Amino acid sequence: MSHDLVIAGRALVALEGAAPTFADVEIAVSDGRIAAIAPEGAALDAAHRIQLHSDEVLLPGLVDTHVHVNEPGRTEWEGFASATRAAAAGGVTTIIDMPLNSIPPTVTPEALELKRTAARHQAAVDVGFWGGAVPANLGSLRALHDAGVFGFKAFLAPSGVDEFPHLDAAGLDAALDELAAFDGLLLVHAEDPGVLDAAANAGGTAYDTYVESRPDEAEVVAISRVIAGVRRTGTRAHILHLSSAAALPELRAARAEGLPITVETCPHYLTLASETIPDGGTQFKCAPPIRGEANRDALWQALRDGDIDLVVSDHSPATADLKFAGHGDFAQAWGGIAGVQLGLAAVWTAAVEREVPLTDVVRWMSTSPAAFAGLPHKGLIAVGRDADLVVFAPDERFTVHAQELLHKNPVSAYDGAELRGVVRRTLLRGATPGAGELPSREET
């Protein structure tokens, strides 16, 4: 049998339901799917063949379930063309777009269709969509669910944009009740507004002052409220971008209780630390904030222990004038880290230092996000899966230059950093990225 493509070399493969492991193999691709996996030397026949170099390994494409594309409405911050090209360059073959900061936000079926129209002929990789849960659309979430969103994002504190208001305590309860009726999923930006109000300060250029304005307690209190709501309703909930390790004990207990709660963190929380962020370094501003080294160590331990499920980028870019507004004043600068292109290299660099194997990094950034989102053809190199593949040189190093990154605005928290691990080639369904599809929940 002749195939479209065969890739030969060392690959992270999942054979016959076993855990993924590295093996020297030949992988055959037909019609965009993995058709066969054989020992290297089997000489599988194909129209095209790729032989990996000795310093390369083949990984499944990453699945990034937390990306803010911002088109339409704020395309100058980021658009589908630039975001998906940057994703592909970083080894990401599927993204799921957040419902803000586009205008309109994805809170109605009509707004979802605007998103799909904007992405349809621009996406270099596959793009799915989250919906939003805001006060105005409570009671009508089922229509957006039926239109194909993968779940619903809500803020428990102000989001930063007026068109996406947060849910108060009653709103959170109402959303959980509504989603329970059709087994919907609620994604939560969990910071408590009362704690944030009490901790508010005048800002300034000192990063520690910014962290003080968003203390650990804000996450702990908000997550406790989510846990109580899940316990009451049984609704599935997901904690977005966990920053504070102080919330881990209660999350660990809730999950041990059997509550359907999943947790993600982000590369910047695993690789950066407040002690090294310079005064006026507003390119590092995000919410919740990057905390200290001991907190970072605890997040790594939680990943190893299985208390955190996913590592995703929370790619949240803005224009340079917004990121550097106020000349280094953290109270005035826009928050958000643009990281979809650098997540794999950043996490792998830190993982090597901690003697964490590449198999774990791939599980956190590909296999588990695919399973979480309900994408059964993504996240593994296995027969029948999409041939979304990454040729990765794990030992090659490079220096980040923000001006060379492919997302729309040249701002990066990693500018000047030396990272380990280079994506040399990305394949989407066995081909060069450029013909991304728009999967929806109904297709999973």
Side-chain angles (χ1 to χ4, degrees):
M1 178 180 179
S2 182
H3 302 282
D4 300 327
L5 172 69
V6 164
I7 306 173
R10 193 153 189 81
L12 183 60
V13 293
L15 300 173
E16 300 177 353
T21 187
F22 281 103
D24 295 319
V25 294
E26 294 186 2
I27 297 168
V29 177
S30 293
D31 298 323
R33 294 273 176 94
I34 297 170
I37 301 175
E40 191 168 18
L44 297 176
D45 186 44
H48 303 282
R49 186 177 184 89
I50 297 173
Q51 178 67 52
L52 300 184
H53 294 131
S54 60
D55 65 338
E56 296 174 341
V57 295
L58 192 70
L59 308 178
L62 303 192
V63 177
D64 192 338
T65 57
H66 195 149
V67 176
H68 294 264
V69 177
N70 308 328
E71 184 177 6
R74 291 192 175 97
T75 310
E76 70 275 14
W77 294 17
E78 189 70 281
F80 284 104
S82 52
T84 57
R85 285 197 303 267
V92 177
T93 51
T94 302
I95 67 171
I96 304 188
D97 173 64
M98 282 293 168
L100 73 164
N101 299 302
S102 57
I103 302 173
T106 314
V107 295
T108 66
E110 294 77 14
L112 174 62
E113 187 53 37
L114 288 174
K115 276 278 193 181
R116 286 176 170 155
T117 298
R120 190 163 284 120
H121 300 298
Q122 298 191 77
V125 301
D126 286 359
V127 180
F129 300 93
W130 298 113
V134 296
N137 74 347
L138 295 181
S140 58
L141 299 180
R142 182 62 186 260
L144 195 48
H145 174 82
D146 290 345
V149 298
F150 285 82
F152 298 86
K153 178 177 184 176
F155 278 75
L156 301 189
S159 71
V161 292
D162 293 340
E163 68 274 3
F164 200 96
H166 69 285
L167 300 180
D168 60 14
L172 173 63
D173 286 342
L176 289 167
D177 287 337
E178 186 175 355
L179 295 177
F182 54 86
D183 192 32
L185 169 66
L186 187 67
L187 290 74
V188 186
H189 179 123
E191 290 183 287
D192 181 77
V195 173
L196 294 179
D197 287 345
N201 57 44
T205 61
Y207 184 72
D208 286 346
T209 302
Y210 173 63
V211 175
E212 289 168 2
S213 74
R214 304 191 91 97
D216 296 85
E217 185 188 1
E219 288 185 78
V220 172
V221 170
I223 288 171
S224 180
R225 184 175 300 126
V226 174
I227 291 170
V230 171
R231 184 179 291 116
R232 181 180 63 82
T233 62
T235 305
R236 293 181 294 136
H238 180 73
I239 303 301
L240 295 165
H241 46 49
L242 182 71
S243 151
S244 174
L248 286 167
E250 190 168 2
L251 282 167
R252 188 179 300 116
R255 286 153 64 96
E257 186 182 331
L259 297 183
I261 297 173
T262 48
V263 185
E264 72 181 37
T265 193
C266 304
H268 40 280
Y269 300 131
L270 297 171
T271 62
L272 304 172
S274 60
E275 290 88 344
T276 61
I277 294 176
D279 288 353
T282 52
Q283 66 270 33
F284 296 94
K285 180 181 177 180
C286 57
I290 296 161
R291 303 187 189 277
E293 292 175 355
N295 181 86
R296 181 182 63 187
D297 292 344
L299 293 178
W300 273 101
Q301 189 60 51
L303 275 167
R304 288 166 160 158
D305 293 342
D307 297 322
I308 297 174
D309 305 281
L310 321 175
V311 178
V312 290
S313 70
D314 189 9
H315 178 75
S316 188
T319 58
D321 60 330
L322 289 172
K323 282 298 296 176
F324 297 115
H327 304 288
D329 186 338
F330 282 91
Q332 297 185 49
W334 184 261
I337 303 289
V340 70
Q341 186 172 339
L342 297 173
L344 174 58
V347 174
W348 174 234
T349 301
V352 170
E353 295 172 355
R354 296 168 183 271
E355 300 183 340
V356 173
L358 185 54
T359 50
D360 285 353
V361 172
V362 172
R363 174 164 49 85
W364 297 329
M365 302 187 77
S366 179
T367 311
S368 293
F372 160 68
L375 293 165
H377 298 297
K378 309 292 187 183
L380 287 173
I381 300 178
V383 173
R385 299 273 178 148
D386 287 350
D388 297 348
L389 304 166
V390 177
V391 178
F392 187 61
D395 295 324
E396 184 177 349
R397 298 174 184 271
F398 69 101
T399 299
V400 177
H401 299 291
Q403 293 286 345
E404 297 175 0
L405 297 173
L406 298 183
H407 55 76
K408 188 175 285 287
N409 290 284
V411 180
S412 175
Y414 296 99
D415 191 27
E418 184 182 75
L419 299 181
R420 179 182 187 132
V422 171
V423 172
R424 291 186 176 164
R425 186 169 187 175
T426 299
L427 298 174
L428 181 69
R429 285 180 289 279
T432 300
E437 297 181 355
L438 308 181
S440 64
R441 184 191 46 76
E442 287 89 353
E443 297 170 2
T444 64

